Amino acid sequence: MTQQIDSILIVDDSAVQRQHSVALCRELGLGCIYEAANGVEALETLAHLPFPPRVLVIDLEMPGMDGVELIQLLAQRNLHVPLIVASSRESALISSVETMVRALGMQVLAALQKPLNLPQLAAALQRYGGPAATAAGPRRKEAEFGVAQLQAALEQDQIVAHYQPKVDVRTGVIKGVEALARWPLADGSMIPPDRFIPVAEQHGLIHALTMKIAGQACGQIARWNKHGLRLSVAINLSPVLLDSPDFVGEAAELLEHHALGSDQVVWEITESSLVANLGAALGILARLRLKGFGLSIDDYGTGFSSMQQLVRIPFTELKIDRSFVHGAADRHHLRVILQSALDMANRLSLVTVAEGVETIEDWRLLQDFGCTLGQGYLIAKAMSGDELPIWLRRHTQHLRALREGRMPSKP
């Protein structure tokens, strides 16, 4: 586990707590352990080391320069070393600092309450991905593209749909997939969707992109149907299209063309999608429900009007944002919010989908709280349509372990 981690710096003003952390690190096999009694000393140590340590363990409550100020200074100086945040303060404060670290573009391996223990520290260090996986390591240069290249990619079918499984939390049975747009390049790299989707929205290409992905997804669902694999597919619906009077008709034509039932297609709408033209958006969503399509409120909990949207719109599904799922087993405030959202959705007879499921602890919590479906790297990453049946055949033991709440082998 610690082969990649050959050095660590522990920053803590308490000599007792610092020596306790040092002992844990030695027990885990770390050979090079640096210590600093405060933030100033930590910065001096980092300045004199030929190479930065692989990981920093930073206490929050220290006299003079506290841990928050130290982290902010590290970010300002571009010292993006993976962090373990530790404190004896309340979990809400620790969680807030963890969010701050991520917002600064830094990697946080764990945010823990003191005193640290061996399983906690071991689990945190297991999340270390090596220098290339952190902001401190070399980053692969992303391919540049313009509107013309994006349009050509759409016309030449270079942008394709990949599918991430959505699995029943109780049974471990796959129930559906989410269709995700992917733009692979000839050299094996990929342009991230968070780069090309905004460009498509800004330059009038989002309609073509959405219908391209929807067409591929419906065609794939139809092929799976013929082979006895009946799944639903969730397709992201851009807010730009909620002002398009032709969209409902085009969506219905896709079903007819591929001989699908409307219950096999769910349109995912983010909370913020309905702000601009509420009247038009509500009309389109109501017509989609009249056609029998499912409607999912995506990234639930990240906006300020979630409950109001549930009242306004005939949603059939509530998708809880990963920020309320991942790590909830270890954070009281997240657990309370997650359970409240699931309880409310169940009372409203909504299907619940938790995204960002990455650990077995996340999964077990969802089982305890009565979530319907789970989606995330613990189950599987997105894959091509041809790969999914192969993945299913090879991962029956993986899904069985999830059903039983056991840690499966790596998918």
Side-chain angles (χ1 to χ4, degrees):
M1 175 196 65
T2 57
Q3 290 179 353
Q4 293 179 317
I5 306 175
D6 52 17
S7 57
I8 193 167
L9 170 61
I10 298 167
V11 187
D12 197 320
D13 66 304
S14 168
V16 174
Q17 294 281 3
R18 198 167 62 249
Q19 289 309 307
H20 172 68
S21 298
V22 168
L24 293 179
C25 290
R26 285 178 178 155
E27 195 168 345
L28 289 171
L30 276 80
C32 190
I33 305 170
Y34 302 103
E35 299 178 48
N38 53 60
V40 173
E41 190 175 315
L43 291 174
E44 291 175 351
T45 300
L46 289 168
H48 287 91
L49 289 175
F51 299 101
R54 300 293 191 186
V55 175
L56 269 64
V57 179
I58 298 181
D59 181 32
L60 295 184
E61 196 170 14
M62 297 184 290
M65 182 188 296
D66 58 46
V68 175
E69 186 179 1
L70 171 59
I71 293 168
Q72 291 172 331
L73 286 173
L74 291 173
Q76 289 174 15
R77 299 181 185 188
N78 232 12
L79 293 170
H80 287 198
V81 179
L83 305 177
I84 296 173
V85 175
S87 178
S88 57
R89 295 294 296 268
E90 65 272 18
S91 60
L93 174 58
I94 300 172
S95 297
S96 178
V97 174
E98 180 182 14
T99 303
M100 179 203 75
V101 174
R102 297 187 194 281
L104 290 171
M106 303 176 73
Q107 183 183 11
V108 56
L109 302 177
L112 306 172
Q113 282 191 302
K114 294 167 57 178
L116 302 181
N117 60 51
L118 194 64
Q120 279 182 326
L121 187 58
L125 294 178
Q126 282 178 335
R127 299 186 188 107
Y128 178 79
T134 71
R139 294 183 178 182
R140 182 172 186 171
K141 186 177 180 181
E142 292 184 343
E144 296 298 324
F145 70 95
V147 178
Q149 287 87 347
L150 177 57
Q151 186 166 8
L154 286 168
E155 293 171 352
Q156 298 167 17
D157 293 330
Q158 294 175 9
I159 297 180
V160 296
H162 279 201
Y163 305 92
Q164 187 170 33
K166 295 160 69 175
V167 171
D168 189 300
V169 174
R170 291 182 304 104
T171 66
V173 174
I174 185 171
K175 293 293 186 179
V177 294
E178 180 180 1
L180 300 165
R182 296 291 185 260
W183 187 358
L185 301 179
D187 63 0
S189 63
M190 193 173 290
I191 297 178
D194 60 0
R195 288 190 61 214
F196 67 80
I197 290 177
V199 174
E201 289 180 327
Q202 293 164 13
H203 295 277
L205 296 175
I206 192 61
H207 182 274
L209 174 59
T210 300
M211 299 315 295
K212 180 75 70 176
I213 295 300
Q216 291 180 23
C218 288
Q220 184 62 70
I221 288 292
R223 289 191 290 275
W224 286 335
N225 282 349
K226 290 179 181 178
H227 289 88
L229 180 60
R230 184 175 174 84
L231 301 174
S232 67
V233 61
I235 305 168
N236 290 284
L237 180 55
S238 169
V240 176
L241 296 183
L242 292 177
D243 202 20
S244 171
D246 298 327
F247 175 73
V248 176
E250 291 174 313
E253 285 175 9
L254 276 178
L255 293 182
E256 185 177 351
H257 178 74
H258 294 285
L260 297 181
S262 56
D263 61 326
Q264 285 191 270
V265 178
V266 178
W267 294 100
E268 290 192 0
I269 305 102
T270 57
E271 286 186 33
S272 58
S273 297
L274 308 175
V275 176
N277 191 344
L278 182 61
L282 291 177
I284 286 175
L285 295 174
R287 291 180 63 208
L288 287 172
R289 280 298 295 133
L290 288 172
K291 297 287 186 184
F293 290 102
L295 295 180
S296 176
I297 181 168
D298 195 12
D299 297 337
Y300 180 81
T302 59
F304 296 102
S305 56
S306 306
M307 292 187 181
Q308 186 180 53
Q309 305 293 30
L310 287 173
V311 172
R312 287 172 169 173
I313 302 163
F315 285 111
T316 58
E317 180 180 286
L318 184 146
K319 193 168 188 181
I320 301 172
D321 185 70
R322 67 183 62 249
S323 62
F324 297 100
V325 176
H326 180 54
D330 299 320
R331 295 161 66 177
H332 175 70
H333 283 66
L334 284 186
R335 285 200 307 275
V336 171
I337 294 170
L338 177 62
Q339 186 171 26
S340 298
L342 291 171
D343 287 346
M344 177 192 65
N346 289 334
R347 291 188 180 204
L348 293 172
S349 300
L350 299 176
V351 173
T352 51
V353 182
E355 62 177 352
V357 184
E358 297 183 9
T359 68
I360 193 63
E361 290 79 16
D362 295 340
W363 179 264
R364 288 172 184 154
L365 193 65
L366 295 172
Q367 287 182 320
D368 291 342
F369 287 172
C371 185
T372 314
L373 302 174
Q375 177 182 346
Y377 287 169
L378 179 68
I379 302 157
K381 296 182 179 181
M383 63 193 82
S384 70
D386 292 337
E387 289 177 298
L388 190 129
I390 299 171
W391 175 84
L392 272 176
R393 288 194 295 271
R394 292 179 178 173
H395 289 78
T396 53
Q397 296 297 323
H398 177 90
L399 296 177
R400 184 177 296 121
L402 287 178
R403 181 186 68 216
E404 297 170 358
R406 295 185 290 107
M407 181 64 191
S409 57
K410 189 175 180 180

